[in-house]
Amino acid sequence: MKLLVTGGAGFIGSNFIRYMIKAHPGDTIINFDALTYAGNPENLEDVQNNPHYHFVHGDICNEELLYFVVDQFAVDTIVNFAAASHVDRSIYEPGLFIKTNVLGTQTLLEVAKNKHIKKYLQISTDEVYGSLGSAGYFTEATPLAPNSPYAASKASADMIVRSYFETYGLDINITRCANNYGPWHFPEKLIPLIIINALENKELPVYGDGKNIRDWLYVDDHCAAIDLVLHQGKPGEVFNIGNHHEMRNIDLVTLILDKLNKPHRLINYVSDRPGHDRRYAIDASKIKAELGWQPQYRFETGINETIQWYLTHKKWWQKIRSGAYKSYYKHQYGSAIE
Ligand code: NAD
Ligand code: TDX
């Protein structure tokens, strides 16, 4: 396989590239990434000298460059991770999310169609389904009802991907995964933010009443699912990915504090996120039944490994937290949290 991975320098993309290099050492992987604040070449330092791995610095809105790269490497498969991915940032800057997530996806699809790419996989999210009440699960048949500009941009992209299948016969799949956690997770997101703030004895910002529920999946299990869909996904199909690990945010924050032996008084309830989805929960029975996917990580194992990773990679996150991230943090949390 000659695989173009967009957004491969981010959290899930970098874990996926490392996973694929191990699982399919003969494949060629081209990581195409704009290196926004969330893209970090250090995430892939250990594979950069692998002769089957190539990095191209580029924007998925740049059609000309995409054609060049697809020709240059004779790309036959595309996985699109590239996205503006943080819900809170989408509230301040919706236009960027539309540009990257919607227009960028369409640009990539156009190249895939014209270059007769064999498989195009769109990495989507469970957030496109909106919010659940206290019961029930998202299935692939749940209507899309996105609530944040981020979720709306991802849902829009999904619709365009679908249209390239229906109209042009491009072999596409869409995966919609639950919240991921694991190594290389950018510290603006809840789990790494809580681990790092706790390690530094800083306050932990919990939105609203802390009772919003997220369904957590270890990133390697997501990578394995993507690998299966790439190889076996029937054209045009959507697959939900998740492992029934629902937790209230406050319970997750408390669990991390306890594991780090840090006091609960670090918790600080702050203003809620506007449009904050109450509950996500994925029904992944389709990918299990059709492709035989089975998650390997129990939450207890995954969270312990994740905490351990942040303890042993202080330099990685200290560098991020000392740069431009500081002004985002101040903007998001103001003086409520130091
Ligand atoms: P991330 O923010 O860590 O990484 C995004 C990457 O995309 C970065 O490397 C960034 O530089 C790159 N990028 C951004 N704009 C680009 C552009 N215009 N052109 C090329 N590259 C660009 O995000 P993540 O958490 O790794 O998420 C990856 C994908 O998975 C996203 O599409 C996201 O919607 C989806 N997803 C994430 C989760 C999660 O829990 N993190 C869950 C489900 C789905
Ligand atoms: O400081 C915080 N305090 C807080 O209470 C932050 C950053 C988050 N939260 C809450 C909001 C959510 O209920 O924690 C939960 C998780 O928040 P995020 O880590 O921002 O993730 P979420 O909004 O659920 O979105 C993530 O999962 C789905 C990814 O960022 C998306 O890219 C993915 O599609």
Side-chain angles (χ1 to χ4, degrees):
M1 194 182 276
K2 299 220 166 42
L3 178 63
L4 182 68
V5 178
T6 66
F11 162 47
I12 306 178
S14 60
N15 279 288
F16 177 71
I17 288 175
R18 194 171 288 103
Y19 179 95
M20 290 297 276
I21 286 176
K22 236 192 224 165
H24 308 281
D27 286 0
T28 301
I29 296 183
I30 304 101
N31 176 8
F32 186 97
D33 196 298
L35 298 182
T36 67
Y37 76 91
N40 187 347
E42 284 178 26
N43 296 8
L44 286 164
E45 243 167 24
D46 54 329
V47 306
Q48 68 186 1
N49 294 324
N50 185 307
H52 297 283
Y53 170 75
H54 308 272
F55 177 75
V56 179
H57 184 198
D59 189 320
I60 55 166
C61 296
N62 185 343
E63 193 168 344
E64 208 178 312
L65 181 59
L66 284 169
Y67 278 120
F68 176 79
V69 170
V70 167
D71 282 340
Q72 189 77 8
F73 293 96
V75 168
D76 52 36
T77 308
I78 297 178
V79 185
N80 182 26
F81 290 94
S85 70
H86 191 36
V87 174
D88 293 323
R89 289 187 192 248
S90 82
I91 296 165
Y92 303 126
E93 217 182 344
L96 172 73
F97 284 68
I98 304 304
K99 185 165 181 278
T100 300
N101 301 356
V102 184
L103 295 177
T105 296
Q106 192 271 329
T107 307
L108 208 47
L109 284 163
E110 194 58 19
V111 174
K113 176 193 72 161
N114 292 335
K115 285 289 160 190
H116 307 290
I117 291 299
K118 286 188 195 141
K119 172 73 85 186
Y120 175 97
L121 173 51
Q122 177 73 3
I123 306 300
S124 186
T125 167
D126 59 359
E127 301 206 11
V128 299
Y129 297 121
S131 188
L132 289 165
S134 55
Y137 296 93
F138 296 133
T139 73
E140 290 81 357
T142 303
L144 304 195
N147 292 317
S148 69
Y150 162 72
S153 70
K154 295 294 289 185
S156 308
D158 286 8
M159 295 286 108
I160 301 168
V161 173
R162 173 189 155 92
S163 79
Y164 270 69
F165 170 69
E166 296 289 346
T167 305
Y168 306 110
L170 181 69
D171 179 344
I172 64 95
N173 286 114
I174 297 171
T175 53
R176 298 187 180 133
C177 190
N179 280 60
N180 284 215
Y181 68 99
W184 316 107
H185 203 178
F186 196 83
E188 67 191 353
K189 307 285 168 51
L190 182 70
I191 288 188
L193 179 68
I194 295 305
I195 297 173
I196 294 170
N197 275 17
L199 287 174
E200 294 191 326
N201 298 308
K202 290 187 171 151
E203 290 176 7
L204 315 178
V206 173
Y207 296 158
D209 64 3
K211 292 180 184 161
N212 298 65
I213 291 174
R214 293 295 179 267
D215 189 358
W216 294 98
L217 183 74
Y218 192 66
V219 64
D220 266 12
D221 281 329
H222 187 190
C223 295
I226 296 169
D227 186 12
L228 273 177
V229 175
L230 264 186
H231 286 91
Q232 295 171 38
K234 205 173 126 220
E237 294 293 308
V238 177
F239 294 95
N240 282 354
I241 305 169
N243 190 24
H244 288 301
H245 197 90
E246 291 177 48
M247 276 187 99
R248 299 192 313 175
N249 292 335
I250 188 61
D251 298 333
L252 176 58
V253 169
T254 312
L255 177 130
I256 293 173
L257 280 176
D258 291 346
K259 285 189 180 288
L260 290 169
N261 278 322
K262 297 286 184 177
H264 290 197
R265 66 175 154 72
L266 288 177
I267 294 170
N268 186 0
Y269 287 96
V270 297
S271 305
D272 208 353
R273 171 186 280 175
H276 198 177
D277 287 334
R278 194 60 171 168
R279 174 172 169 257
Y280 301 150
I282 278 275
D283 177 343
S285 41
K286 177 176 173 184
I287 190 170
K288 289 180 177 166
E290 288 186 14
L291 306 185
W293 176 71
Q294 274 305 333
Q296 301 299 313
Y297 284 82
R298 288 176 51 241
F299 183 78
E300 185 65 15
T301 315
I303 197 70
N304 286 342
E305 288 195 8
T306 303
I307 291 173
Q308 199 51 39
W309 189 89
Y310 282 89
L311 281 167
T312 53
H313 289 75
K314 280 192 178 155
K315 277 201 185 123
W316 178 85
W317 53 261
Q318 277 168 346
K319 203 163 148 191
I320 292 170
R321 300 252 289 193
S322 66
Y325 179 74
K326 267 188 171 170
S327 55
Y328 161 75
Y329 195 86
K330 198 152 185 274
H331 178 73
Q332 173 65 9
Y333 301 104
S335 53
I337 294 272
E338 286 306 324

